[in-house]
Amino acid sequence: MDSRWGIAMWPSSLAGRLLLSALIGMLAAGVAAAAIFVSFACLRDTNYLIDATLEDELDNLEESVQVDGNGRLVFRPQWSSDSYDALRKDTAFRIIDADGTTLFSSLDGPALQALKRMPAGARTLDVDDAGLPVRLQVRERQIVRSGARYGLQVARSDRMVERLAGYARQLYLSATAVAVLVALSIFAVVVCITVRRAVVPLRQASAIASRIGPRALSARLHVDGIPSEMAPLIDALNSALERLEQGFRVQQDFLAMAAHELKTPLTLLQAEVELGGEMNKEAMLRETQLMARQVNQLLHLAEVSEGRNYRFSKRSLWAMSADAVDYLNRLADRGGVSLHVEHLEPDRTVDADEGAVFVLLKNLLENAISHSPRGGVVTLEVTPGGFTVVDQGAGVDPADREHVFKRFWRASSATDGAGLGLAIVREICHAHRWEVWVEDAQGGGSRFVVAIPDTPTQEA
């Protein structure tokens, strides 16, 4: 219930409110239209009017004929007889006994005289009014009072009925015109109020939206009082604002962490330059390489975080894995690690960005090689369901698994790296609608799994 309207079960949707308003207006207009139709239908049918009015007059006469306490017949009119007195040419009545003797009647006049000489059983009678022909309509009824039978006769001219009907038509036309105007006014007022009430919450939401900016991303639009058709739009806007706020916060954290990660090697380089003398070229080279790697990863992360940078096409899982392994064989040799590839039948083609998948496999294999001891083995398993990289390192602590794919996160035992490699892997998987997780490998080490669902791919 909308308490502001005070109407029970007022629809919550704008369409429902407008529909109810339209129904109210249509109902009012329909009543007026029905009144017009019935009134004109009745007033235009002269025969119907004559029958109806004469039957009413007979009813009045019957109620007026009574018997007093002495058993005598008395006439006590239940209506005003002014019309009979004033229109003696056009209307008359009389009450007769069984012998045809007039007991009571209207004032004498042409209509009453015609009624007296009317043949028995006749329903119309033509009379002359100063050279003008006038037709009288006559109706009779028999009644019984104190065991005696009496006759009621009523006469009324066609011209009188037609004239009264013309006056009535004008009266009804004016009344129905007023009714239609009132109905349309009610309809217009109800629709206007409904629309104004419906747009008030929208204006409030617009005012809140106009205040949202980089410094006020936490503001949200309210759905209270909003028409139900607009509620999904408001919810979608709130969800978009929430994602925007989250993305803005991630970017802020990204800039802060990037500045922090680059600050250390730059400080060391600056110190080496300021101290002068013989520079430690090996240390400077190491720092510049580390800084270059971090900058490279920052660029990769920025690139893979934008969906418009991806170019999807049909690619073979085996072919993409072979490219990554060939590229990292030299790194594995330098670290004393064996790099093996296992292809499980059949091969499969997927919609993927070949360059992005290369970066994904490269980061996973680099991570596995760096955490495996000399003499260890890193295995890349390629199956129709995706990729799996298994190393023989110390493994990932269960408490750290939920953090391992976050940006700039590094385990406490890590000595180098900016913590961006696995974050890049997650972004690439997200763009491809793949899943990635880490679990313990059988016999020790870690097992990183990239799962590719069946729907967006096809078998080769």
Side-chain angles (χ1 to χ4, degrees):
M1 175 177 178
D2 192 334
S3 60
R4 295 174 299 177
W5 283 78
I7 301 177
M9 300 302 292
W10 188 254
S12 62
S13 68
L14 180 59
R17 296 177 188 180
L18 293 177
L19 179 60
L20 183 58
S21 302
L23 288 176
I24 293 174
M26 290 173 63
L27 180 61
V31 171
I36 295 174
F37 176 78
V38 173
S39 300
F40 275 84
C42 294
L43 294 175
R44 294 181 71 88
D45 187 353
T46 306
N47 292 330
Y48 169 80
L49 287 175
I50 291 174
D51 288 337
T53 54
L54 292 179
E55 288 297 325
D56 287 341
E57 294 299 326
L58 289 174
D59 290 339
N60 292 331
L61 282 177
E62 185 173 351
E63 293 177 1
S64 301
V65 177
Q66 302 175 7
V67 178
D68 63 9
N70 297 323
R72 293 180 304 178
L73 188 71
V74 296
F75 180 65
R76 294 173 180 161
Q78 302 296 313
W79 81 103
S80 174
S81 61
D82 292 344
S83 62
Y84 288 99
D85 297 339
L87 302 172
R88 301 179 190 179
K89 294 181 179 180
D90 295 282
T91 181
F93 76 87
R94 71 173 184 156
I95 302 171
I96 59 177
D97 59 15
D99 297 330
T101 304
T102 300
L103 302 178
F104 306 101
S105 68
S106 58
L107 295 180
D108 191 21
L112 181 61
Q113 292 300 322
L115 187 61
K116 289 180 179 180
R117 63 175 183 268
M118 181 191 72
R123 292 176 63 87
T124 61
L125 184 65
D126 293 327
V127 298
D128 181 77
D129 179 20
L132 295 176
V134 177
R135 170 164 291 188
L136 293 178
Q137 299 286 340
V138 182
R139 298 293 184 272
E140 295 181 318
R141 180 182 297 177
Q142 298 293 319
I143 63 173
V144 177
R145 295 289 186 270
S146 298
R149 186 176 296 275
Y150 301 93
L152 307 178
Q153 294 179 335
V154 177
R156 185 159 293 185
S157 68
D158 288 349
R159 68 181 180 182
M160 175 185 173
V161 174
E162 181 61 35
R163 185 169 300 175
L164 291 177
Y167 292 146
R169 280 195 291 268
Q170 294 180 359
L171 178 62
Y172 276 107
L173 181 61
S174 301
T176 51
V178 172
V180 170
L181 290 176
V182 171
L184 293 176
S185 300
I186 293 174
F187 176 69
V189 169
V190 172
V191 171
C192 181
I193 293 176
T194 300
V195 173
R196 288 177 63 86
R197 289 286 186 180
V199 299
V200 166
L202 295 179
R203 290 175 179 170
Q204 295 173 347
S206 299
I208 295 174
S210 65
R211 295 194 295 269
I212 297 175
R215 299 182 182 275
L217 286 175
S218 59
R220 295 293 182 270
L221 306 180
H222 303 296
V223 296
D224 298 336
I226 294 289
S228 59
E229 293 91 346
M230 300 298 296
L233 175 61
I234 298 300
D235 292 338
L237 287 175
N238 285 334
S239 298
L241 288 173
E242 186 173 351
R243 292 192 297 271
L244 181 62
E245 181 183 12
Q246 178 65 21
F248 186 77
R249 187 177 295 112
V250 168
Q251 293 299 325
Q252 292 294 97
D253 294 342
F254 176 83
L255 292 175
M257 293 299 297
H260 175 74
E261 292 296 330
L262 293 175
K263 181 179 179 181
T264 300
L266 286 173
T267 301
L268 292 176
L269 289 175
Q270 183 178 2
E272 288 287 343
V273 173
E274 289 178 349
L275 288 175
E278 186 177 354
M279 296 184 181
N280 188 341
K281 293 184 178 180
E282 183 179 350
M284 293 182 67
L285 183 60
R286 184 174 64 252
E287 294 300 328
T288 55
Q289 288 176 343
L290 176 61
M291 188 165 55
R293 183 170 183 270
Q294 291 174 345
V295 170
N296 212 24
Q297 285 189 321
L298 287 172
L299 292 174
H300 274 306
L301 182 59
E303 184 178 2
V304 300
S305 298
E306 290 290 337
R308 64 174 179 269
N309 293 329
Y310 290 85
R311 299 293 182 269
F312 292 90
S313 59
K314 294 292 184 182
R315 288 291 180 264
S316 163
L317 296 183
W318 287 9
M320 290 188 292
S321 63
D323 291 342
V325 171
D326 291 343
Y327 181 80
L328 291 171
N329 269 327
R330 185 176 299 178
L331 177 64
D333 291 341
R334 286 202 303 266
V337 177
S338 298
L339 186 56
H340 292 173
V341 182
E342 295 182 0
H343 290 152
L344 301 183
E345 298 286 348
D347 188 13
R348 183 179 177 186
T349 59
V350 296
D351 288 321
D353 185 304
E354 185 176 13
V357 175
F358 175 81
V359 173
L360 179 149
L361 293 174
K362 172 177 150 315
N363 286 356
L364 287 177
L365 292 173
E366 281 182 346
N367 181 73
I369 291 170
S370 64
H371 287 86
S372 294
R374 297 188 68 84
V377 177
V378 172
T379 304
L380 172 60
E381 300 175 357
V382 185
T383 70
F387 305 105
T388 302
V389 177
V390 183
D391 62 49
Q392 294 181 339
V396 179
D397 191 288
D400 294 336
R401 289 178 184 172
E402 60 178 308
H403 306 291
V404 74
F405 293 101
K406 291 183 178 179
R407 298 179 179 187
F408 298 105
W409 184 87
R410 289 177 292 186
S412 56
S413 58
T415 58
D416 57 1
L420 293 175
L422 293 179
I424 293 173
V425 169
R426 184 182 65 173
E427 290 294 338
I428 294 174
C429 287
H430 179 73
H432 286 75
R433 300 185 183 276
W434 299 347
E435 295 183 21
V436 61
W437 67 85
V438 61
E439 58 191 22
D440 291 334
Q442 187 175 2
S446 300
R447 189 169 184 264
F448 286 83
V449 180
V450 176
I452 303 175
D454 293 334
T455 305
T457 63
Q458 66 180 33
E459 294 185 359

